[in-house]
Amino acid sequence: TGKLNAFCYGICTTAEINQNSAFWHSIRLFNFTDFIPCTYYCSKWFIYSTVISVTAIRCYIKDKLFFFFLKVERTDYSWYSGDKDIPSTVSDGKKTFTVKKIAKWAFISAANVHKVTLPSTIVEIEEEAFRYCGGINIINLDHNLKKIGNLAFHYCTNLNEVKLPDSVTEIGTSAFSNCLSMTKAVIGAGISYMDKVFSSCRNLKDITCRAIIPPVITEETFSDENYQNGVLNVPHNSLQNYKTAPYWNKFRNIRALPYDFDIDNIYYIIKDKNTVGVVASDNKYGGSGSIPSTVTLVYRGFKDGKLIEYTDTYKVTTIEDMAFNDCPDLTEVVLGDNITNIGYKAFANCPNLTSV
């Protein structure tokens, strides 16, 4: 091809490396049109392998973890294929490091990747990390993830569902735009602003937003097909707020969920400003567990143009009708001190329940 073929992936653990120092060394890679000095000098290298055409470089230093790799032509991404479980730690044989971020362009155009599972250590997916990954149909996001960058999953055309955990508080512009196969999206309770996040996801019809206060969104956050044909599910007591909130009110079909929020996999409905009741779970309750006396709900929303964090504490006073109905794996429930009422068939059809 007339190009020098190479691939390098390095981890440097030495503390003496300064991000502002001159790292360029004498080794250079180039092709006929571009001259690219691209090898950093550092005291330790761990080189891994594949052979691809070099066109540019990227490097990152995060928490004394130095990742060096070459940005390559979109002609051979075979080293990223199939199902990928990102490890929570990596080791150089002497020291172990925590994997905290998926870097910009880390998987860009890796068309042969089908499923990606992120560990609980990941707190950020940087911009364009999975852009143009047309083969991805499943992405498992952990509950410690906090930020998703611009265009992070843009044009993942086979991705059919996404569930943003409540821990995500920042999602970039067009993060899931043009995901043409997406039919279902769950937006976590931590989101307060979105811009073009699901634009051109024309087949997205099942949308749940768990935020108590409707996030501020731009009109292009969803497509016209979503507004016309989609179903928007929102917290039970927030229904009217969504029906009047700018651009959320464009949805023709907005429905109230049977709950307002969940904490530790127990679902609650707000009864009044001081009390909540336990309601049925999205999934059946199982095993043994305790109903707390009180719960504290932390949520965010814009007021007068400022993002404000709210904290409300409620007494748990009621087990609502059919809350634990038909839970065959439920064995024991310990009720909190503030429970004053147990509703109709609250524990019906629980054959293995031995103690309340």
Side-chain angles (χ1 to χ4, degrees):
T1 64
K3 295 183 179 181
L4 179 63
N5 293 325
F7 175 77
C8 297
Y9 169 76
I11 301 175
C12 181
T13 63
T14 52
E16 65 267 20
I17 287 183
N18 185 326
Q19 191 169 3
N20 297 318
S21 298
F23 287 160
W24 301 119
H25 195 42
S26 59
I27 302 173
R28 294 178 174 89
L29 301 179
F30 61 92
N31 60 32
F32 286 121
T33 58
D34 297 304
F35 179 73
I36 307 174
C38 64
T39 300
Y40 284 99
Y41 174 77
C42 58
S43 63
K44 294 183 181 179
W45 276 102
F46 304 89
I47 304 300
Y48 298 86
S49 69
T50 224
V51 179
I52 41 172
S53 297
V54 176
T55 57
I57 66 165
R58 296 296 301 176
C59 63
Y60 294 88
I61 300 176
K62 296 182 186 297
D63 299 331
K64 297 182 180 179
L65 180 62
F66 176 72
F67 291 94
F68 171 84
F69 60 96
L70 305 179
K71 174 69 172 64
V72 300
E73 286 185 335
R74 293 166 57 188
T75 55
D76 182 1
Y77 284 86
S78 59
W79 74 94
Y80 281 154
S81 62
D83 296 347
K84 288 295 175 186
D85 292 333
I86 307 300
S88 59
T89 59
V90 292
S91 175
D92 63 6
K94 296 180 180 180
K95 192 171 182 179
T96 299
F97 301 89
T98 301
V99 180
K100 292 185 176 181
K101 297 184 180 182
I102 306 298
K104 181 178 180 180
W105 301 338
F107 287 85
I108 191 169
S109 298
N112 294 321
V113 174
H114 303 300
K115 177 183 177 181
V116 178
T117 300
L118 303 184
S120 60
T121 55
I122 295 293
V123 296
E124 181 180 353
I125 299 172
E126 293 187 349
E127 58 186 280
E128 302 184 64
F130 294 92
R131 191 178 188 185
Y132 299 128
C133 288
I136 288 182
N137 50 45
I138 298 175
I139 179 75
N140 293 323
L141 306 177
D142 191 83
H143 63 276
N144 288 322
L145 181 66
K146 299 183 183 303
K147 181 180 179 181
I148 299 175
N150 298 339
L151 297 162
F153 294 90
H154 171 72
Y155 242 103
C156 291
T157 52
N158 277 322
L159 185 62
N160 51 49
E161 180 178 340
V162 64
K163 183 176 182 179
L164 302 178
D166 292 344
S167 58
V168 175
T169 58
E170 186 176 344
I171 186 165
T173 299
S174 302
F176 291 92
S177 60
N178 290 90
C179 291
L180 304 179
S181 298
M182 185 176 291
T183 59
K184 182 177 181 179
V186 177
I187 301 163
I191 296 296
S192 54
Y193 175 80
M194 295 191 295
D195 176 31
K196 302 185 181 77
V197 171
F198 297 102
S199 64
S200 298
C201 296
R202 294 186 292 271
N203 293 307
L204 179 58
K205 292 182 171 61
D206 185 350
I207 304 159
T208 296
C209 187
R210 289 165 47 86
I212 296 291
I213 297 176
V216 173
I217 63 172
T218 61
E219 186 172 13
E220 296 82 10
T221 296
F222 300 97
S223 69
D224 287 339
E225 290 88 350
N226 306 147
Y227 291 125
Q228 298 299 317
N229 304 318
V231 176
L232 174 63
N233 304 288
V234 300
H236 189 83
N237 283 288
S238 300
L239 179 62
Q240 288 305 123
N241 292 334
Y242 277 88
K243 285 186 173 182
T244 57
Y247 305 121
W248 292 107
N249 59 11
K250 290 189 66 176
F251 279 94
R252 286 187 173 183
N253 193 348
I254 306 179
R255 299 177 182 176
L257 293 165
Y259 58 86
D260 285 306
F261 62 93
D262 69 279
I263 296 177
D264 295 332
N265 296 317
I266 300 176
Y267 287 72
Y268 301 93
I269 188 170
I270 298 173
K271 307 286 287 183
D272 55 45
K273 65 180 182 179
N274 296 314
T275 64
V276 295
V278 177
V279 296
S281 166
D282 273 354
N283 300 307
K284 298 293 184 180
Y285 294 109
S288 62
S290 299
I291 306 299
S293 298
T294 61
V295 290
T296 299
L297 175 64
V298 179
Y299 57 102
R300 308 192 314 159
F302 282 93
K303 184 178 182 180
D304 299 327
K306 295 181 178 180
L307 184 61
I308 298 174
E309 185 172 281
Y310 300 88
T311 301
D312 294 334
T313 298
Y314 299 94
K315 291 182 178 180
V316 183
T317 60
T318 307
I319 306 297
E320 298 294 320
D321 293 348
M322 305 183 76
F324 294 91
N325 179 57
D326 194 23
C327 293
D329 296 325
L330 188 66
T331 58
E332 180 184 21
V333 178
V334 179
L335 302 182
D337 295 337
N338 290 321
I339 295 294
T340 58
N341 183 63
I342 297 177
Y344 176 72
K345 290 189 174 181
F347 295 96
N349 302 313
C350 297
N352 294 306
L353 182 62
T354 59
S355 174
V356 177

